[in-house]
Amino acid sequence: MKKNDLRIVFMGTPEFARESLRALVEGGYRIVGVVTMPDKPAGRHGSVLQASPVKQYALSQRIPVMQPDKLNGETFLRELKAWQADLHIVVAFRMLPEPVWHMPRFGSFNLHASLLPRYRGAAPINWAIINGEKETGVTTFFLTHGMDTGRIIMQRRVPIAGDADAGAVHDRLMTAGAILVLETVDLLLEHDGLVPTIPQEQLVTDGAATLHTAPKIFIDTRRIDWRQPAGKVYDFIRGLSPVPAAWTELVFDDGERIPLKIFQTEILRETHPLHPGSIRANAVDGHLDVAATDGFVRLLSLQTAGKKRMSARDFLNGTRRAFSTVE
C-alpha cells in the first residue's frame, strides 16, 4: 500500500495536535477527514466563535471537518464510517468510545505527552515538571478501554532542562510528537498494520517504569504551598507556567488579600528563621523573596488581577501599601 492509499482520520483540537496533522499532510499522507471540538466563544463578550487550531489548518488544506457534540451519536458514527478510514490518529482530543476506536482496520492510536505508563491523565507535562522529573517524552499507543492504557507502539525521550517551564516543554514535545506520529504511521504502513507492541503492564512488572498519574489541574491544585523546600516550590511554579499559572494570596498589613499569579522564580539557598510565606522585599533592588522551609524563592515575574504580567521590580514600584506575607 502507498501513502496516498492509506485513508486516515485525524482527531485533535489544540496547537499541540495541529503540528502532528501538519506533519502528516506535509509527509504525503492522505487525511480524509478531521474530527475536532466545536467552535468556542471568544472575544470580550463571547460573541465570536473561535475555530480550533486543528480546524483552521484542516480548512486551509481543504480537509473535511466534523465537530460532534457527542462521539457516540448515530449521526456522527454513520458519517465517520462513511470516510472509510484505515486508521484513526488521536492527539490531544477526547476519550473515544469503543465504536469509534474499533472502527478502522488498522485500529486507532493516540499520541500522549509522556513516557507511558508514567503520567497517564490529562496534564502529563505539568505533573512531570512539578515532580522534578529530568526527562519526559512522547508515546504512541493503540486505544483500548481505559485512559492511556493501551499497548505501546513507539516512544521518544525528551530531556527536561532544570529551568524549563511547562510552555517550553510543551513546545519541545509538540515537535517530538509530530515526528513520532509520522514515524508510527510509516511503521504501520510498512507492516500493513501488524506492528510489535509492548503492554504497559509489562513495563511496570519488569521495573522499567513506575506509575504516576497526571490528573486534570483545577484552581485549588494551582495554589502554592510555601511550607515546602524552595526547590519544590520552584518546580511547582514552573510546572504551571505560563498557563494556567500557580497562584498565592498576597496579604496586606491591613488584612486585605489579593490573588497573585507567579510565572518565573529563582531559588536562594539561605537559612533563615522566618515562617514559610514571609516576604522579604527590597524596592531599591527590585527583589521580592518569599520564605520556604530551607531558603527563599525570589519572584521574578507575576500578575495581579486585572493587570498584565510584570516584573517584581515593577510590582514593587507600583505598590504603595505595606505587606509581609503570602498564603
Side-chain angles (χ1 to χ4, degrees):
M1 179 183 290
K2 297 179 181 179
K3 281 186 176 182
N4 201 46
D5 294 328
L6 183 68
R7 299 175 62 86
I8 298 173
V9 168
F10 185 89
M11 303 183 185
T13 297
E15 179 187 13
F16 190 92
R18 181 188 62 196
E19 292 309 299
S20 291
L21 177 58
R22 187 198 308 276
L24 289 164
V25 171
E26 294 179 356
Y29 279 104
R30 183 182 181 186
I31 311 300
V32 297
V34 159
V35 181
T36 189
M37 292 287 285
D39 296 353
K40 288 189 175 182
R44 172 175 269 181
H45 303 293
S47 57
V48 178
L49 290 178
Q50 179 70 45
S52 73
V54 163
K55 178 182 177 180
Q56 292 178 37
Y57 180 75
L59 294 179
S60 75
Q61 301 298 310
R62 299 182 179 179
I63 300 172
V65 174
M66 282 198 289
Q67 298 175 271
D69 290 316
K70 296 180 179 180
L71 297 178
N72 56 2
E74 289 184 9
T75 300
F76 168 65
L77 291 176
R78 182 174 62 253
E79 293 177 352
L80 180 64
K81 189 174 183 180
W83 277 341
Q84 298 179 325
D86 300 302
L87 175 68
H88 289 169
I89 299 174
V90 185
V91 183
F93 193 49
R94 295 152 62 183
M95 194 166 178
L96 302 184
E98 183 174 356
V100 175
W101 57 256
H102 191 66
M103 189 179 294
R105 68 187 186 94
F106 280 12
S108 303
F109 79 78
N110 179 266
L111 173 72
H112 188 73
S114 80
L115 296 173
L116 290 173
R118 299 171 69 85
Y119 297 106
R120 293 172 177 168
I125 298 173
N126 305 102
W127 286 109
I129 300 171
I130 288 170
N131 290 338
E133 300 284 1
K134 306 301 182 188
E135 181 184 61
T136 184
V138 282
T139 302
T140 52
F141 67 96
F142 282 118
L143 290 174
T144 184
H145 297 289
M147 179 177 286
D148 305 327
T149 58
R151 297 175 68 93
I152 292 171
I153 308 168
M154 301 180 76
Q155 291 187 321
R156 178 182 290 265
R157 296 179 179 274
V158 174
I160 301 176
D163 61 350
D165 63 16
V169 175
H170 168 278
D171 291 349
R172 290 201 65 186
L173 292 179
M174 179 173 64
T175 300
I179 295 170
L180 190 68
V181 164
L182 201 56
E183 291 175 347
T184 301
V185 182
D186 288 345
L187 184 68
L188 288 165
L189 183 62
E190 180 183 353
H191 296 278
D192 198 34
L194 301 175
V195 296
T197 57
I198 302 173
Q200 294 189 36
E201 296 76 12
Q202 179 181 321
L203 296 176
V204 177
T205 302
D206 294 346
T210 54
L211 287 173
H212 288 286
T213 58
K216 188 175 180 179
I217 291 172
F218 298 96
I219 188 167
D220 290 342
T221 315
R222 295 161 38 209
R223 186 163 189 162
I224 301 167
D225 181 0
W226 299 100
R227 299 166 298 176
Q228 302 181 87
K232 286 280 190 182
V233 176
Y234 173 81
D235 287 341
F236 184 81
I237 292 169
R238 70 188 180 101
L240 294 168
S241 179
V243 290
W247 67 279
T248 189
E249 278 192 325
L250 179 65
V251 184
F252 291 100
D253 289 355
D254 62 8
E256 184 183 354
R257 296 166 174 259
I258 63 168
L260 196 68
K261 288 183 178 180
I262 303 174
F263 302 99
Q264 188 178 10
T265 65
E266 63 183 16
I267 302 169
L268 303 179
R269 302 291 186 185
E270 299 178 25
T271 57
H272 62 78
L274 300 177
H275 187 273
S278 299
I279 292 175
R280 183 180 68 179
N282 185 327
V284 175
D285 294 331
H287 292 166
L288 183 58
D289 305 333
V290 181
T293 59
D294 64 346
F296 289 93
V297 177
R298 176 162 290 172
L299 310 189
L300 302 177
S301 178
L302 50 87
Q303 183 180 19
T304 57
K307 302 290 185 180
K308 293 183 178 180
R309 180 171 170 173
M310 69 186 83
S311 67
R313 180 186 295 275
D314 288 344
F315 172 75
L316 290 171
N317 288 338
T319 303
R320 298 288 177 257
R321 300 165 61 194
F323 55 85
S324 59
T325 60
V326 288
E327 295 180 357

